[in-house]
């Protein structure tokens, strides 16, 4: 089977750990610019400080601790405009936020969600982890353990929010909520399935390769100056991880606007 030609660039922003609220505002900024065609498609990759977020269909009763408990645990609480219920983000997760303009046959949100799931399924298969999806439930499971969460929002066919993938997060933090309202399921991690902690950067690199193939986009690493110049965010907000972590991706000195 012939590999399809690459039709679009995909700028990759691999950020050091971020606060959820900061990353949300960065997404909004990039989404507005993408709608206006001022920037190419962007994929943000990061991990968050501990936070519980409530999506558009969240039930506040699915927060199982008091405000004081969450404060003692160092977990912030945010309401957000993605779809879905209550979930947790924290260190040891990989969070991927595609700011993609969906065009032509891509304008099918069910297809878009299935592609995000398939990226995780493909990666887990590389590690012989028998993952699956269940009808009517968005996300990826290993048995009864949810290992990847998905929630999106789309405006003028430009996406934001996206996918969080449990590599080695603190699973006890998930036990302070009813994740995604699914009380009958547990939460798992890649480390829990493998019996060791996989390398965060290696998993990121493998996920980006799957994004390239699944979405027919050519990845280009973006640097600190691109982020500062295009979005007026200095290093006090976001720091780009070293590009040496992802050596197979084209550096940002090429065709993307600066």
């Amino acid at each position: 089977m012939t590999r399809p030609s690459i039709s679009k660039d995909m700028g990759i922003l691999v950020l050091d750990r971020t606060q959820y609220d900061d990353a949300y505002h960065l997404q909004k900024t990039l989404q507005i610019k993408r709608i206006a065609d001022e920037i190419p498609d962007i994929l943000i990759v990061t991990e968050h400080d501990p936070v519980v977020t409530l999506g558009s269909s969240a039930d506040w009763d699915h927060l199982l601790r008091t405000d004081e408990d969450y404060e003692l645990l160092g977990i912030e609480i945010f309401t957000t405009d993605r779809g879905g219920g209550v979930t947790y983000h924290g260190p040891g997760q990989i969070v991927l936020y595609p700011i993609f303009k969906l065009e032509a046959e891509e304008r099918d949100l069910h297809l878009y969600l299935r592609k995000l799931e398939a990226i995780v399924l493909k990666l887990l298969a590389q590690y012989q982890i028998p993952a699956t999806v269940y009808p009517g439930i968005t996300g990826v499971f290993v048995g009864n353990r949810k290992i990847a969460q998905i929630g999106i929002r789309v405006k003028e066919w430009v996406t934001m929010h996206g996918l969080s993938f449990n590599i080695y997060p603190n699973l006890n933090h998930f036990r302070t909520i009813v994740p995604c309202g699914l009380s009958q399921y547990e939460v798992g991690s890649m480390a829990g399935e493998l019996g060791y902690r996989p390398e965060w950067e290696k998993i990121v690199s493998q996920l980006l390769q799957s994004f390239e193939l699944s979405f027919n986009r050519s990845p280009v690493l973006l640097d600190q100056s691109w982020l500062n110049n295009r979005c007026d965010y200095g290093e006090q907000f976001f720091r780009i991880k070293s590009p040496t972590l992802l050596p197979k991706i084209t550096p940002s000195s090429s065709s993307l606007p600066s």
Side-chain angles (χ1 to χ4, degrees):
M1 182 175 179
T2 304
R3 175 176 169 176
S5 60
I6 298 297
S7 59
K8 287 185 179 182
D9 281 326
M10 172 178 62
I12 306 294
L13 287 171
V14 184
L15 305 177
D16 280 338
R17 190 186 301 177
T18 56
Q19 292 188 347
Y20 180 85
D21 197 34
D22 289 341
Y24 171 79
H25 288 292
L26 175 60
Q27 289 184 75
K28 292 293 287 186
T29 298
L30 294 174
Q31 186 186 50
I32 290 167
K33 291 180 178 292
R34 186 68 188 99
I35 289 170
D37 287 324
E38 295 177 8
I39 59 172
D41 287 340
I42 302 292
L43 179 61
I44 301 170
V45 184
T46 190
E47 59 183 335
H48 289 314
D49 294 328
V51 62
V52 166
T53 68
L54 293 91
S56 57
S57 60
D59 184 338
W60 282 85
D61 289 338
H62 291 165
L63 299 180
L64 303 180
R65 300 290 187 272
T66 66
D67 290 348
E68 292 77 14
D69 290 336
Y70 286 114
E71 186 174 355
L72 286 171
L73 289 168
I75 299 174
E76 294 191 274
I77 307 292
F78 279 100
T79 57
T80 188
D81 56 2
R82 62 163 171 78
V86 179
T87 195
Y88 167 81
H89 300 302
Q93 264 186 352
I94 295 173
V95 184
L96 302 112
Y97 294 132
I99 314 297
F100 286 0
K101 178 170 282 190
L102 304 180
E103 297 179 311
E105 68 276 3
E106 293 182 329
R107 291 188 172 183
D108 179 334
L109 295 185
H110 292 288
L111 175 63
Y112 177 69
L113 291 170
R114 302 294 82 78
K115 281 186 174 183
L116 293 177
E117 291 171 337
I119 284 169
V120 177
L121 290 169
K122 179 179 178 181
L123 184 138
L124 292 173
Q126 292 178 260
Y127 289 83
Q128 290 77 53
I129 297 174
T132 190
V133 295
Y134 293 124
I137 305 176
T138 300
V140 178
F141 295 79
V142 180
N144 73 331
R145 299 176 296 282
K146 195 170 190 181
I147 199 168
Q149 301 74 224
I150 296 171
I152 66 169
R153 182 175 176 80
V154 178
K155 181 178 180 181
E156 297 184 39
W157 291 106
V158 175
T159 65
M160 62 177 286
H161 299 295
L163 163 69
S164 60
F165 183 26
N166 299 339
I167 308 304
Y168 45 83
N170 185 343
L171 295 182
N172 286 326
H173 285 177
F174 282 97
R175 298 185 181 104
T176 69
I177 62 174
V178 180
C180 305
L182 302 174
S183 58
Q184 69 273 38
Y185 293 98
E186 299 176 3
V187 176
S189 68
M190 198 171 176
E193 301 301 326
L194 292 173
Y196 65 90
R197 283 190 175 193
E199 184 182 349
W200 195 91
E201 290 81 5
K202 180 179 180 181
I203 303 301
V204 167
S205 184
Q206 291 170 325
L207 288 171
L208 294 181
Q209 291 172 28
S210 290
F211 262 92
E212 176 183 1
L213 295 172
S214 295
F215 286 98
N216 197 28
R217 282 157 169 81
S218 180
V220 180
L221 270 181
L222 301 177
D223 58 20
Q224 192 76 48
S225 64
W226 188 96
L227 180 58
N228 296 350
N229 293 337
R230 298 300 294 177
C231 301
D232 299 321
Y233 290 117
E235 293 186 26
Q236 69 271 26
F237 287 100
F238 304 105
R239 289 187 62 84
I240 301 292
K241 281 186 179 287
S242 170
T244 60
L245 297 175
L246 302 162
K248 294 182 180 179
I249 299 178
T250 307
S252 61
S253 57
S254 64
S255 60
L256 291 192
S258 60

